Amino acid sequence: MKKFLQGVAICGALALASLPVAANTLRFGGTTPPLTMDPHSTNDFVTAALVRQVYDSLVGLTNDMDIEPGIATAWAPAGENTWRFTIREGVKFHDGSTLTAEDVAFSIMRQKESALYRAMYGQIREAKVVDAKTVDVISAGPDPILPRKMVRLFVMSAAWAKANNVEKVPDLGAQGTEAYSLRHANGTGPMRLVLQEPAQRTTFERNKAFWGPFNGNVERAIYTPITSAPTRVSALLSNELDLITDVPLQDVERINGTQGYMVSSAPQQLFMQLEMDGTRDVALDTWDKNGQPLQANPFKDLRVRRAFAHAVDAKLIVDRVMRGQAFVVGTAAAAGFGGYQKDLDVRWPTDVELAKKLLAEAGYPNGFIVQLNCPLQRYVNTEEICRATASMLARIGVEVRIKGMPWPEFARMLVNGPSSSFHLIGAAGNSGDVQDTFTSVMATRNRDKGLGGTNWALWSNAEFDAVTAELVGTFDPAKRTELYRRGLTIGKEQVHAVYLHQPMLTWAMRRSITVPARADSAVMLKDVTIK
Amino acid sequence: MFAFLLNRLAHAVLVLLVVSVLAFTLGNTVGDPVASILGLDATPADRAALRTRLRLDEPVVVRYFLYLGDLLSGRLGNSYGAQRPIIDLLAERIPATVELALAALVLSVVIGVPLGVFAAAHPEKRIVRFLMTSSVIGVSVPTFILGIILIFTFSLTLGWLPSFGRGEVVKFEYWSTGFLTASGLKSLIMPAICLAIGQIALVARLARAEMMGVLRTDYIRFARARGLSDRAVNFSHALRNTLIPIITVSGIQLGYLVAFAVVVEQVFQWPGMGTLFLQALSQTDIPLISAFLMAAALFFVSINLVVDLLYAIADPRLRIRTQMQGAGG
């Protein structure tokens, strides 16, 4: 009986804790639940977007994806391989303790040890506390974009982590119990975590002691994951939620046309591209028109690559498949990336006759057959993009056989191979800087140097590699711009990939809500105003 | 009777073993857990390290026996995606699914049986023909479409019912129930109807067929000859004999309802085992996928075992047959 009473008391408390629609409560929903509240143990972007409300990053990120002072008020190079960060004073954690330089150093070392962040922070050797408000970050080599990378470095209380036995990032796959940091948090962010009910609900409340400006008027916020898109839209339109992320493109017009609701969108930090095998002598899954396997790799011929680039009409894909919710991309960068060059961003013109001519010159007057590996999840409308690509390439005699794969299968094909000569994929710089696109997506694969880790089609160009090598060691902004431009130009001239578009992410909300849509998909609760 | 029991138990264990092989194999074919956990840009060294820690570099047969050993000692391990012990995840999710399945079962019997009886008693009425035809539609409309139609009508247009979730729940030690709160009950209505609709049609058709058979038997004719009312004949004499097969089928259907609530749960974001399973699949969360399949199999097997035993009690011939076999062998 006592236990029963306890149960009733607890659920009473829960009922109070989750009472809907108090004053200025934002009820928002997205596709998937946050996997954890530990900012260092996942790189899932939905989780990161929610964790950002509770934890501040070392370097801040504006709603336009520019860097701004965060926990660090300033940063400057201090020697060849070192960046010196000045730590903001008077910042309080949610438990009332004061943030120190030790907390910053601890967080850098904790997050860098996570395998998920090796690509970003693996070059960091040490985070050294110089004095109460200064931390030096020492890398293995020069790292001009380290401050930009630090927008994803979340600062956690060292004492709290120690007290709760989560000094190290929880070990994945270990037998046993749940890590304390999975549903508890102690950050310095604008919102405080009230309750994390895994896979069901996450409740935040305003952090009254937040160090920075709190532009909106949200006191409380409840996040609910709803996987099924029609249900999510219905939950918004039936007033069970105030805002939803990931609106299906076909519902955009309907929501905009519903009284009291609107859609807002922002370009994602991602662009879609068709990658073509740049290394193998015999391409995988390619056949001549009689169905015999090709004994060559047509994609090693620049003329074939150019033919593909001129045959696939990215504008048409944006208009039809993406219903206008995307921008055509002409170089290996997109608006919002650090190092993006707007004037270079002009795509190859669509020209079927030229494409046919190039293909004939390359020795394929009748075209050939090729398998297009197509991921079915993760990106928007991929299946339709692949089908549109197939019909456009059919115009120049290339028969495309689409192989659709659920994401886990697609990822396995790439990671354990890569075993694909032609596929659709989204490319992005980890930190949102084009340098990351250069080093991981475009540079020649080289395990020892840690280059080309996500260069799945094995594109390789010596001149480009030289530009990349120079870029990663250059601090001078003017010189860097010059190198960005050279790299992007080589990528386009050599058709590193057939660039398609930068998708938009779309949110829908009641008209009484004002919130800036962000490229990283984070609903910044501090900037939400409820009328 | 004892031999019969042993026989059934041996069958159950065999089925579970086969499922464990399947669960293990499926877990290994849906993708690469290392690729799913670490994403695309981890270093090869980290991949190799995780592979070793997850014991993925052992030979398949060794891994299967390690897995079986873990299962037998009750160690289900941690979910890769949720980063929590699987036993906690299951304990959290099972009540939601079981309550949903029970509600659907009750609905299917309470609506299906009277429908079937009515249809058998008045086969010539136009309304009966209409109902029987529409029951075919009930069986054949995909649940997710029905779910979306329900949400569109009752949440979006009328605003009567919540479109997602389970509402407020009352938590006891090991169980959380939505039966005790108004919002819990309101949230249950649409998912339960959605899950039940196929079952209602099934039960109605079964009841009708059984009932029509029973109505032709002699004792019903005698009952009518005694001048009993239609109502008394249909419901107290005929229905009783019709119920046995319906109860059997419903019991077995409960297993299906639990296992196939997946789609309904997805549509209504019902926090049950189905949503958990789909998330696990999309993350290649092998331990969780296997655990779900084993839990579902255990559920099926237990229900079948109980039904078999109840049969044996109800039908003496079954008992005698095994005894004779035992004596003969």
Side-chain angles (χ1 to χ4, degrees), chain A residues 118 171 183 227 231 240, chain B residues 46 53 84 163 172 267 269:
Chain A
R118 198 84 76 205
D171 195 8
R183 50 173 124 187
T227 314
T231 312
E240 291 165 82
Chain B
D46 282 322
R53 204 166 61 235
R84 300 174 57 204
S163 54
F172 300 101
V267 171
Q269 195 68 29

Side-chain angles (χ1 to χ4, degrees), chain A residues 263-278:
Chain A
V263 171
S264 119
S265 45
Q268 280 181 45
Q269 276 195 318
L270 170 86
F271 58 92
M272 302 304 297
Q273 60 182 15
L274 295 161
E275 296 186 339
M276 299 163 290
D277 198 326

Side-chain angles (χ1 to χ4, degrees), chain B residues 30 39 60 114 120 135 147 158-159 169 182 190-191 247 286 303 328:
Chain B
V30 290
V60 175
S135 78
L158 298 170
V169 293
M190 288 197 294
I247 290 171
I286 291 185
I303 288 178

Side-chain angles (χ1 to χ4, degrees), chain B residues 287-329:
Chain B
L288 189 51
I289 294 171
S290 319
F292 172 84
L293 293 176
M294 287 311 293
L298 195 64
F299 201 81
F300 262 91
V301 166
S302 319
I303 288 178
N304 271 308
L305 197 63
V306 171
V307 167
D308 275 349
L309 295 180
L310 287 179
Y311 254 42
I313 293 166
D315 188 345
R317 282 170 300 179
L318 266 173
R319 261 178 287 169
I320 292 163
R321 207 173 297 147
T322 44
Q323 270 163 14
M324 278 163 59
Q325 274 172 2

